[in-house]
């Protein structure tokens, strides 16, 4: 770890921890904003879980707690708010460091290894997400750990990390597929290790939750059934508010299928570029998951610097950049117009969630297109060639 | 909602005096004085129907013969029925008592409390009313209620219809220490005997549906979402154990409230029908929808309890109707239905301020007042109830600056304690007179003042803040009960206390019962055991966020907001009393109700766009544009193929024709 990389990591801790301790109100405001906080990631409900756990109230019998039992138990070990801030800052710094380590592992890259980390640190979406103490930080950490250790060939660590990530937020389980492509051998062992770890985590949660399985619905059931209808950046909340009752089960199935639909195609089509396939899958999950936040988007965008050779092929880079700016600027405004002022209506915010989905979709399409182009050009960019899919 | 609209119609019809030819006619619930339907039911004692005043007056002529008359008829009926109800053959004695208490309150208000008590005949435990060989004799206990209680295995039933605001600051403690009044709207709780909680809930739903029909209100809207099983609150005050008929079963306490239920005449009419007098004689003859619901605060309550002594059980029923009205407003309205300014002779000016022919600051309340009960209620008391051993009682709780007379046929009577027994069948009236209306009997001290409000401004979240003020010299122990709908997602961890005396949460809240809400299945159920030290004010506040509802779950007036039922405070020490906070209006964010198809189309388009484009890129091959063009050109289109085929057919046909011609 050279000086510049150390600076990046320290800057990460300092910025997160500083923002949390100097402006504690910022955390409350961000935690109430729908862009950074959802029922399944909000720090407020995590605190509620800790409170209920400490006072021996039922934790998962209804209520607002949708975090994994072990995470709640972990957080209940911290009594000091500053310690919690430090924990979040360190988790985020670890992600930044892992991005640096990933860049270092691609040693043929023209990119200085500290750049992805630095971009992650200064990315406002990630910064705000971390300050809001959204639990998405922990699943992001687990995902990046899995990815880094897979790149390094450490399949045990990778399998355990992806199991932890799936334990925390379910959808990363699908990332096991591109991860297997990334690991050249020990595939069966990886799958079984992941399964064993996951089962262990679930069993210990069962144990910790006073021998009750009711946490399964509160944590994963809520994700699968889209049951907490609270405005967010996803495509579905308004859909299920407006849809006629009898169609809802069908469309819930459609949305769930939609999440997994592209995982295997990406992994198969780009099995020669497994890292790239992994990022594509991550992007697809970010687009289709049931409770997305801008923190997911920020984490995803931190992987874009790794694909510097593809930049020349991007067709919609301006459009996607504009779409993202559009979302980040207008989303809080439109939400405020609807919910606080009452001068706008729900369609305003719904439009923003559509724009966000479009923004992510253009990034995804651009990445796929660019990779197909560079495959066609056999690694030697020929930007003047006009190609079309038939 | 049907009942609500019915209620509004009934109101409108009354208010505007809709004529008999109106379309709305069939919706009007007839006034109890006009309802002839139950006339013959009451006649069994009177002999002839007493539906009009002339009839009553005619009967008054031979008042002396009534008792024998009644006696003879009743005993002959009893003989027909083949059982002996009462040992005493000299007078009719049914377990029924009624009492009207009138109590002037500060600022020209008046509290009128109607109390009715009745008991059923003995129940046979373990013998169902539905079996063929069984029969039941009903005397004063309402026949409509008893089967409902039996079907649903209800051992205790408490029903409240309340509306308006009780001003505890100036009126003091609620009547009956608050145990007979509910939160705004309808409140219902019952003790049901059942083998399991599910069975208890099934019985509960049966009970609510029956009561809904009986009382003409939306009690049938009570469902899982609104039902709680109170743990510390709503316990009966007397220490008698609840009788269990089948020892293998248990007693379950269920409770629900409908805060948005309007209370109106169509709830009063069935209420009066439960009384043996049917609102036709005794003090209940005063009750008239116009007057009861024109009050500032009114409460209709009904409590049924099963009381067992060994193997014999009885239902004991208390029915109470209470109202607070402004005497001057009621008098003015009776005298002059269309309000107009007072003449200068009638104005009472504040003499501490400048006053002359042109200038007058009216007194906040008139000092001198003189009125009759019949002016307030629009009619006189129609005799005694005539079926009880105890005469109907009318009491006035007044200070010594008031004088009260009973008026029977223009002769006035007075008593020392201002309580009057109405014995005979004449029209009775009460005269009130005071030279200092501000001097009233002091109400009991309120043990605790409680108010609750919503905080925050957004439609996605907010807070609840309950303020407790103990004005007494002793610590008050109480239970705070709250049931909140599931779309208020409560964060109990955000519970904060504000206190000028530096009290901590642990000093005030001794224990907590908390059951979080389940979406569409269970409300949030919260009970705090609180203890407020003497002369302190404490505010408890906590935060919640709001969920969105589905399209069809919003009421038609979604932007009006959702009524949050009142919280109950049961004071345990120093005296046992109950009080409720006002209801709250919670506004939820609403979707655009015109959007269903647009949303389906737009969302599906974006999903299809993303998936379609990616799918296209992944399954297709990349080629240069020139190559693609060449391939497209090389590939003959279907249209071209078809034209070619047709052309070939045509040439073939021509050839065969030519060959035929040649032949």
């Amino acid at each position: 770890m050279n000086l510049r990389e150390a600076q990046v990591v320290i800057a990460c801790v300092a910025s997160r921890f500083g923002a949390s301790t100097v402006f504690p109100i910022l955390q409350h405001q961000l935690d109430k904003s729908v862009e950074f906080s959802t029922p399944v990631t909000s720090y407020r409900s995590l605190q509620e879980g800790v409170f209920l756990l400490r006072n021996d109230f039922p934790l998962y019998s209804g209520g607002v707690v949708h975090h994994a039992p072990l995470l709640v138990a972990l957080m209940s070990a911290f009594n000091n708010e500053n310690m919690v801030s430090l924990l979040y800052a360190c988790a985020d710094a670890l992600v930044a460091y892992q991005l640096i380590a990933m860049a270092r592992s691609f040693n043929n890259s023209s990119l200085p290894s500290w750049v992805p980390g630095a971009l992650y640190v200064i990315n406002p979406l990630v910064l705000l997400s971390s300050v809001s103490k959204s639990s998405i930080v922990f699943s992001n950490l687990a995902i990046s750990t899995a990815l880094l250790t897979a790149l390094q060939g450490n399949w045990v660590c990778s399998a355990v990390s992806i199991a932890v990530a799936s334990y925390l937020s379910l959808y990363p389980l699908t990332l096991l597929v591109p991860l297997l492509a990334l690991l050249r051998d020990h595939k069966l062992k990886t799958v079984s290790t992941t399964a064993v770890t996951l089962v262990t985590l679930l069993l210990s949660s069962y144990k910790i939750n006073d021998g009750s399985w009711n946490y399964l619905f509160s944590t994963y059931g809520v994700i699968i059934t889209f049951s907490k209808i609270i405005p967010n950046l996803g495509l579905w909340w308004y859909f299920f508010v407006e849809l006629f009752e009898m169609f809802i089960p069908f469309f819930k199935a459609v949305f769930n299928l939609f999440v997994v639909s592209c995982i295997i195609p990406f992994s198969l089509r780009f099995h020669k570029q497994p890292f790239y396939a992994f990022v594509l899958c991550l992007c697809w999950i970010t687009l289709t998951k049931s409770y997305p936040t801008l923190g997911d988007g920020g984490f995803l965008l931190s992987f874009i610097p790794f694909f510097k050779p593809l930049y020349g092929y991007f067709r919609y880079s301006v459009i996607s950049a504009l779409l993202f700016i559009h979302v980040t600027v207008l989303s809080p405004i439109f939400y405020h117009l609807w919910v606080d002022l009452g001068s706008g209506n729900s369609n305003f915010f719904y439009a923003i969630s559509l724009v966000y989905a479009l923004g992510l979709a253009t990034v995804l399409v651009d990445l796929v297109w660019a990779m197909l182009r560079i495959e066609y050009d056999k690694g030697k960019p020929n930007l003047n060639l006009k190609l079309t899919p038939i | 909602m049907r009942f609500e609209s019915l209620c509004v119609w009934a109101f409108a019809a009354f208010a505007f005096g809709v004529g008999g030819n109106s379309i709305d006619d069939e919706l009007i619930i007839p006034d109890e004085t006009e309802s002839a339907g139950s006339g013959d039911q009451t006649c069994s004692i009177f002999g002839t129907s007493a539906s009009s005043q002339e009839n009553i007056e005619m009967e008054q002529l031979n008042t002396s013969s009534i008792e024998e008359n009644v006696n003879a008829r009743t005993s002959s009926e009893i003989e027909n029925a083949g059982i002996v109800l009462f040992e005493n053959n000299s007078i009719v004695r049914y377990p029924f008592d009624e009492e009207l208490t009138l109590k002037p309150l500060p600022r020209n208000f008046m509290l009128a409390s109607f109390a009715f008590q009745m008991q059923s005949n003995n129940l046979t435990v373990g013998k169902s009313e539905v079996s063929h060989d069984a029969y039941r004799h009903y005397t004063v206990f309402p026949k409509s209620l008893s089967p409902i209680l039996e079907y649903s295995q209800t051992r205790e039933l408490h029903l409240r219809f309340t509306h308006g605001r009780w001003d505890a600051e100036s009126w003091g403690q609620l009547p009956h220490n608050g145990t007979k009044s509910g939160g705004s709207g309808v409140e219902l709780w019952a003790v049901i005997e059942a083998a399991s909680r599910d069975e208890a809930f099934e019985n509960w739903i049966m009970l609510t549906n029956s009561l809904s029909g009986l009382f003409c209100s939306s009690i049938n809207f009570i469902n899982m979402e609104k039902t709680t099983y109170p743990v510390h609150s709503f316990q009966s005050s007397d220490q008698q154990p609840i009788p269990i008929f089948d020892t293998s079963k248990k007693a379950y306490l269920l409770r629900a409230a409908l805060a948005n239920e309007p209370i109106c005449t169509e709830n009063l009419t069935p209420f009066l029908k439960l009384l043996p007098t049917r609102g036709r004689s005794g003090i209940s003859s005063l009750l008239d929808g116009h007057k009861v619901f024109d009050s500032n605060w009114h409460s209709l309550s009904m409590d049924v309890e099963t009381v067992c002594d060994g193997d014999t059980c009885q239902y004991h029923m208390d029915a109470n109707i209470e109202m607070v009205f402004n005497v001057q407003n009621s008098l003015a309205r009776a005298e002059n239905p269309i309000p107009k300014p007072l003449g200068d002779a009638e104005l009472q000016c504040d003499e501490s301020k400048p006053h002359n022919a042109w200038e007058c600051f009216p007194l906040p309340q008139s000092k001198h007042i003189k009125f009759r009960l019949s002016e307030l209620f629009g009619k006189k008391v129609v005799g005694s109830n005539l079926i009880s051993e105890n005469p109907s009682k009318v009491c006035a709780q007044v200070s010594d600056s008031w004088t009260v007379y009973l008026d029977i046929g223009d002769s006035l009577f007075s008593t020392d304690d201002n309580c009057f027994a109405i014995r005979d069948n004449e029209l009775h009236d009460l005269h009130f007179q005071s030279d200092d209306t501000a001097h009233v009997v002091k109400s009991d001290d309120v043990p605790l003042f409680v108010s609750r409000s919503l905080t925050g401004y957004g439609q996605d979240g907010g807070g609840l803040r309950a303020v407790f003020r103990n004005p007494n010299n002793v610590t008050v122990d109480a239970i705070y009960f709250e049931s909140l709908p599931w779309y208020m997602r409560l964060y109990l961890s955000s519970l904060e206390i504000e206190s000028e005396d530096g009290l901590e949460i642990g000093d005030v809240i001794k224990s907590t019962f908390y059951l979080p809400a389940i979406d569409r299945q269970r409300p949030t159920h919260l009970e705090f055991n609180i203890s407020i030290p003497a002369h302190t004010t404490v505010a408890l506040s906590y935060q919640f966020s709001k969920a969105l509802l589905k399209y069809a779950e919003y009421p038609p007036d979604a932007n009006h907001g959702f009524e949050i039922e009142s919280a109950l405070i049961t004071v345990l020490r120093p005296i046992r009393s109950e009080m409720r906070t006002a209801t709250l209006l919670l506004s939820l964010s609403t979707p655009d109700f015109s959007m269903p198809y647009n949303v389906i189309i737009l969302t599906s388009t974006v999903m299809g766009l993303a998936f379609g484009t990616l799918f296209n890129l992944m399954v297709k091959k990349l080629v240069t544009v020139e190559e693609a063009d060449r391939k497209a050109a090389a590939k003959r289109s279907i249209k071209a193929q078809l034209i070619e085929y047709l052309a070939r057919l045509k040439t073939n046909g021509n050839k065969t024709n030519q060959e035929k011609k040649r032949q």
Side-chain angles (χ1 to χ4, degrees):
Chain A
M1 192 151 133
N2 63 27
L3 182 65
R4 189 52 68 75
E5 291 168 11
Q7 279 172 349
V8 167
V9 172
I10 290 167
C12 186
V13 176
S15 58
R16 269 68 171 164
F17 186 65
S20 303
T21 44
V22 178
F23 309 107
I25 186 78
L26 194 61
Q27 193 271 324
H28 292 290
Q29 286 306 317
L30 286 172
D31 199 26
K32 284 178 187 167
S33 75
V34 287
E35 293 84 9
F36 290 102
S37 146
T38 63
V40 297
T41 62
S42 135
Y43 183 60
R44 204 147 60 125
S45 53
L46 188 57
Q47 272 182 318
E48 175 78 3
V50 170
F51 173 84
L52 295 179
L53 192 69
R54 283 186 184 154
N55 290 288
D56 286 332
F57 288 125
L59 197 53
Y60 295 104
S61 169
V64 293
V65 186
H66 307 295
H67 295 274
L70 289 177
L71 184 65
V72 178
L74 171 76
M75 295 309 286
S76 69
F78 291 88
N79 276 318
N80 190 337
E81 193 63 17
N82 283 339
M83 288 299 287
V84 176
S85 304
L86 197 62
L87 177 75
Y88 274 88
C90 289
D92 220 25
L94 210 54
V95 177
Y97 171 72
Q98 282 168 340
L99 285 170
I100 293 171
M102 278 177 225
R104 231 187 290 145
S105 72
F106 301 115
N107 39 18
N108 55 349
S109 162
S110 56
L111 197 70
S113 60
W114 57 273
V115 171
L119 287 174
Y120 181 80
V121 172
I122 59 165
N123 187 340
L125 302 183
V126 178
L127 174 69
L128 293 177
S129 174
S130 173
V131 171
S132 81
K133 294 193 180 141
S134 155
S135 68
I136 200 74
V137 171
F138 297 113
S139 27
N140 286 350
L141 173 63
I143 292 171
S144 69
T145 311
L147 185 56
L148 177 67
T149 48
L151 282 174
Q152 290 165 344
N154 184 349
W155 61 270
V156 181
C157 208
S158 182
V160 170
S161 306
I162 205 72
V164 170
S166 357
Y167 171 72
L168 289 174
S169 58
L170 187 66
Y171 286 132
L173 190 61
T174 57
L175 292 176
L176 186 62
V177 180
L179 207 64
L180 288 178
L182 205 56
L183 292 160
R184 292 292 163 216
D185 32 42
H186 304 299
K187 293 192 180 179
L188 203 63
K189 280 187 195 165
T190 312
V191 173
S192 46
T193 314
T194 309
V196 167
T197 317
L198 200 55
V199 167
T200 315
L201 287 170
L202 292 178
L203 280 176
S204 46
S205 306
Y206 169 75
K207 198 88 180 157
I208 240 180
N209 192 33
D210 297 330
S212 165
W213 289 110
N214 64 0
Y215 75 91
L216 284 179
F217 182 79
S218 293
T219 49
Y220 310 122
V222 161
I223 293 176
I224 291 175
T225 58
F226 300 87
S227 52
K228 297 288 158 188
I229 305 184
I230 286 170
N232 60 41
L233 289 169
L235 281 169
W236 57 277
W237 64 272
Y238 204 43
F239 197 83
F240 287 136
V241 166
E242 297 274 359
L243 200 61
F244 305 113
E245 192 73 33
M246 56 198 153
F247 297 125
I248 287 181
F250 171 74
F251 277 99
K252 278 184 177 169
V254 168
F255 274 90
N256 274 314
L257 275 178
F258 196 54
V259 178
V260 294
S261 63
C262 276
I263 302 295
I264 291 172
F266 281 145
S267 310
L268 285 178
R269 179 68 183 78
F270 299 107
H271 67 100
K272 283 178 188 153
Q273 295 92 7
F275 177 76
Y276 170 77
F278 188 92
V279 175
L280 282 188
C281 291
L282 193 63
C283 188
W284 181 252
I285 288 175
T286 310
L287 171 64
T288 55
K289 72 189 286 190
S290 51
Y291 300 92
T293 63
L294 281 182
D296 292 301
F299 180 63
L300 171 78
L301 293 179
S302 311
F303 286 96
I304 304 297
F306 291 109
F307 306 115
K308 200 175 164 230
L310 305 179
Y311 285 1
Y313 294 116
F314 284 176
R315 291 185 295 185
Y316 317 118
S317 44
V318 176
I319 294 174
S320 21
L322 286 176
L323 286 175
F324 270 103
I325 292 169
H326 185 107
V327 169
T328 43
V329 172
L330 285 186
S331 147
I333 296 175
F334 279 1
Y335 188 74
H336 180 67
L337 283 181
W338 169 32
V339 164
D340 297 332
L341 299 182
S343 49
N345 71 7
S346 46
N347 298 342
F348 285 49
F349 186 71
Y350 168 63
I352 288 298
S353 64
L354 286 183
V355 170
Y356 180 67
L358 271 181
L360 281 174
T362 51
V363 169
L364 197 56
V365 167
D366 248 5
L367 277 175
V368 172
W369 167 257
M371 187 51 87
L372 291 174
R373 266 308 308 267
I374 206 160
E375 270 183 356
Y376 185 88
D377 291 341
K378 301 205 169 49
K380 298 183 197 70
N382 177 9
L383 296 178
N384 296 324
L385 197 62
K386 293 232 181 306
L387 291 186
T388 180
I390 59 166
Chain B
M1 294 301 123
R2 212 192 108 253
F3 288 119
E4 280 178 26
S5 61
L6 202 68
C7 176
V8 171
W9 276 117
F11 250 148
F14 277 128
F16 300 109
V18 174
N21 298 331
S22 160
I23 295 170
D24 310 317
D25 211 11
E26 59 184 71
L27 288 172
I28 301 170
I29 304 284
D31 196 332
E32 62 275 8
T33 52
E34 297 159 7
S35 68
S38 65
D40 33 25
Q41 289 167 18
T42 39
C43 307
S44 60
I45 289 176
F46 265 88
T48 53
S49 166
S51 60
S52 68
Q53 291 205 347
E54 286 87 338
N55 267 351
I56 298 165
E57 276 162 11
M58 251 167 59
E59 281 191 34
Q60 279 167 0
L61 297 176
N62 43 14
T63 320
S64 55
S65 67
I66 279 184
E67 266 194 3
E68 290 93 350
N69 193 10
V70 167
N71 203 358
R73 275 168 192 279
T74 324
S75 50
S76 71
E77 270 176 24
I78 290 167
E79 276 161 25
N80 288 343
I83 53 161
V84 177
L85 279 174
F86 296 97
E87 294 293 316
N88 192 341
N89 283 329
S90 60
I91 50 166
V92 184
R93 297 172 72 175
Y94 286 115
F96 175 73
D97 280 308
E98 60 176 20
E99 182 174 352
L100 165 64
T101 310
L102 294 153
K103 184 179 171 188
L105 298 170
R107 290 183 169 265
N108 286 142
F109 283 98
M110 167 88 95
L111 168 70
S113 297
F114 295 79
F116 307 92
Q117 288 183 333
M118 60 206 88
Q119 290 174 15
S120 73
N121 289 13
N122 287 345
L123 306 171
T124 340
V125 176
K127 192 163 188 183
S128 171
E129 205 164 308
V130 264
S131 56
H132 296 293
D133 57 338
Y135 61 88
R136 179 64 61 74
H137 194 85
Y138 297 90
T139 51
V140 286
F141 191 79
K143 190 189 172 200
S144 48
L145 207 54
S146 184
I148 297 175
L149 297 177
E150 187 157 336
Y151 277 128
S152 58
Q153 296 286 300
T154 306
R155 298 289 165 261
E156 261 186 44
L157 173 69
H158 306 270
L159 181 63
R160 305 279 184 270
F161 296 94
T162 313
H163 205 268
R165 197 181 85 89
W166 176 268
D167 184 1
E169 301 266 351
S170 76
W171 303 342
Q173 178 74 286
L174 281 160
H176 309 282
N177 282 342
T179 52
K180 300 283 184 193
S181 41
S184 205
V186 178
E187 197 171 336
L188 174 72
W189 67 99
V191 176
I192 290 175
E193 182 183 320
S196 66
R197 180 181 273 211
D198 290 341
E199 192 192 314
F201 183 76
E202 269 175 40
N203 287 345
W204 166 251
I205 292 301
M206 196 157 40
L207 177 70
T208 54
N209 283 321
S210 311
L211 290 177
S212 172
L214 189 61
F215 285 100
C216 211
S217 69
S218 329
I219 307 177
N220 57 325
F221 281 87
I222 288 174
N223 52 14
M224 273 163 110
E225 264 181 50
K226 297 197 170 78
T227 307
T228 50
Y229 300 81
V231 179
H232 303 298
S233 305
F234 297 100
Q235 310 294 330
S236 25
S237 49
D238 48 348
Q239 297 306 312
Q240 275 188 347
I242 292 153
I244 303 286
F245 290 179
D246 181 350
T247 43
S248 66
K249 292 182 174 178
K250 276 173 35 182
Y252 290 87
L253 173 62
L254 295 95
R255 184 259 176 194
L258 297 165
N260 56 350
E261 176 76 2
I263 312 300
C264 67
T265 24
E266 60 179 7
N267 304 125
L268 180 69
T269 311
F271 203 93
L272 291 180
K273 290 278 156 65
L274 294 183
L275 303 175
T277 53
R278 301 286 195 276
R280 293 172 165 280
S281 74
I283 56 168
S284 60
S285 59
L286 285 180
L287 289 166
D288 170 276
H290 290 76
K291 302 294 173 186
V292 173
F293 299 106
D294 196 21
S295 54
N296 294 45
W297 177 83
H298 46 259
S299 159
L300 281 62
S301 78
M302 188 185 84
D303 301 81
V304 184
E305 286 180 10
T306 315
V307 178
C308 286
D309 180 20
D311 276 350
T312 55
C313 293
Q314 282 179 325
Y315 291 127
H316 285 201
M317 175 166 157
D318 281 4
N320 291 72
I321 297 176
E322 267 137 340
M323 62 194 119
V324 173
F325 44 82
N326 188 302
V327 173
Q328 284 193 318
N329 289 356
S330 299
L331 293 177
R333 190 164 306 183
E335 196 176 294
N336 197 357
I338 301 166
K340 63 182 180 193
L342 285 176
D344 56 350
E346 294 161 49
L347 270 180
Q348 297 192 21
C349 298
D350 188 345
E351 290 172 17
S352 64
K353 296 199 171 107
H355 61 98
N356 51 37
W358 310 104
E359 208 174 2
C360 177
F361 292 91
L363 276 174
Q365 64 174 42
S366 61
K367 231 166 140 51
H368 310 280
I369 204 161
K370 187 180 175 184
F371 61 90
R372 280 175 295 146
L373 199 58
S374 55
E375 288 172 330
L376 288 178
F377 285 97
K379 42 189 165 182
K380 295 180 177 180
V381 181
V382 186
S384 185
N385 58 67
L386 292 175
I387 51 167
S388 155
E389 61 177 308
N390 300 322
S392 305
K393 230 170 131 186
V394 180
C395 281
Q397 286 182 12
V398 290
S399 67
D400 43 12
S401 55
W402 291 72
T403 41
V404 183
Y405 300 109
L406 182 70
D407 173 347
I408 312 172
D410 291 337
S411 39
L412 299 180
F413 302 92
S414 71
T415 55
D416 290 339
D417 58 351
N418 290 321
C419 274
F420 305 93
I422 299 180
R423 290 179 194 281
D424 48 27
N425 211 8
E426 284 186 52
L427 291 176
H428 291 66
D429 200 356
L430 226 55
H431 287 239
F432 284 82
Q433 204 172 323
S434 172
D435 46 11
D436 183 8
T437 56
H439 185 206
V440 293
V441 177
K442 200 175 170 300
S443 300
D444 293 341
D445 282 336
V446 181
L448 196 64
F449 290 106
V450 187
S451 67
R452 186 181 64 163
S453 50
L454 283 172
T455 58
Y457 57 90
Q459 285 182 330
D460 58 348
L464 274 175
R465 188 167 182 272
V467 182
F468 302 87
R469 183 162 70 83
N470 179 358
N472 303 307
N473 292 326
V474 286
T475 304
V476 167
D477 291 339
I479 299 164
Y480 180 79
F481 171 94
E482 202 165 39
S483 157
L484 301 170
W486 63 266
Y487 40 80
M488 285 172 84
R489 294 159 49 81
L490 196 66
Y491 295 91
L492 201 60
S493 54
S494 62
L495 181 68
E496 277 179 8
I497 189 165
E498 294 163 61
S499 156
E500 287 171 359
D501 306 291
L503 293 169
E504 297 288 320
I505 289 179
D507 302 334
V508 172
I509 299 178
K510 298 299 175 195
S511 68
T512 310
F513 176 86
Y514 176 51
L515 197 62
I518 299 179
D519 289 6
R520 297 175 181 86
Q521 282 180 34
R522 186 172 80 191
T524 302
H525 174 190
L526 194 57
E527 284 183 56
F528 290 132
N529 250 313
I530 53 171
S531 158
I532 313 284
H535 297 293
T536 44
T537 305
V538 163
L540 293 174
S541 60
Y542 33 91
Q543 305 294 311
F544 60 87
S545 62
K546 302 174 194 168
L548 273 181
L549 301 183
K550 287 179 190 165
Y551 188 76
E553 286 170 340
Y554 285 94
D557 52 349
N559 286 307
H560 166 78
F562 294 75
E563 302 268 359
I564 305 301
E565 63 191 65
S566 42
L568 166 77
I569 298 92
T570 315
V571 177
L572 305 173
R573 231 164 43 93
I575 50 158
R576 202 187 158 90
S577 70
E578 286 177 16
M579 62 203 69
R580 283 165 174 84
T581 62
T583 54
L584 301 170
L585 197 58
L586 180 84
S587 61
L588 289 188
S589 44
T590 52
D592 181 343
F593 292 104
S594 63
M595 284 287 279
Y597 292 104
N598 303 350
V599 169
I600 294 169
I601 292 163
L602 289 172
T603 305
S604 307
T605 306
V606 170
M607 286 167 73
L609 195 68
F611 185 81
T613 318
L614 287 173
F615 184 77
N616 231 349
L617 281 176
M618 279 191 297
V619 297
K620 286 186 175 176
K621 197 171 71 176
L622 276 194
V623 291
T624 55
V625 176
E626 295 82 40
E627 203 177 335
D629 285 346
R630 220 176 308 127
K631 281 204 170 169
K635 202 166 141 191
R636 290 178 305 166
S637 68
I638 293 175
K639 196 179 162 191
Q641 282 181 21
L642 201 67
I643 292 170
E644 203 173 310
Y645 178 71
L646 285 176
R648 210 184 305 148
L649 267 186
K650 211 174 179 183
T651 45
N652 279 352
N654 286 346
K655 273 180 191 169
T656 43
N657 282 347
Q658 283 166 3
E659 278 170 19
K660 273 181 187 170
K661 276 180 187 172
R662 258 181 236 152
Q663 283 170 355

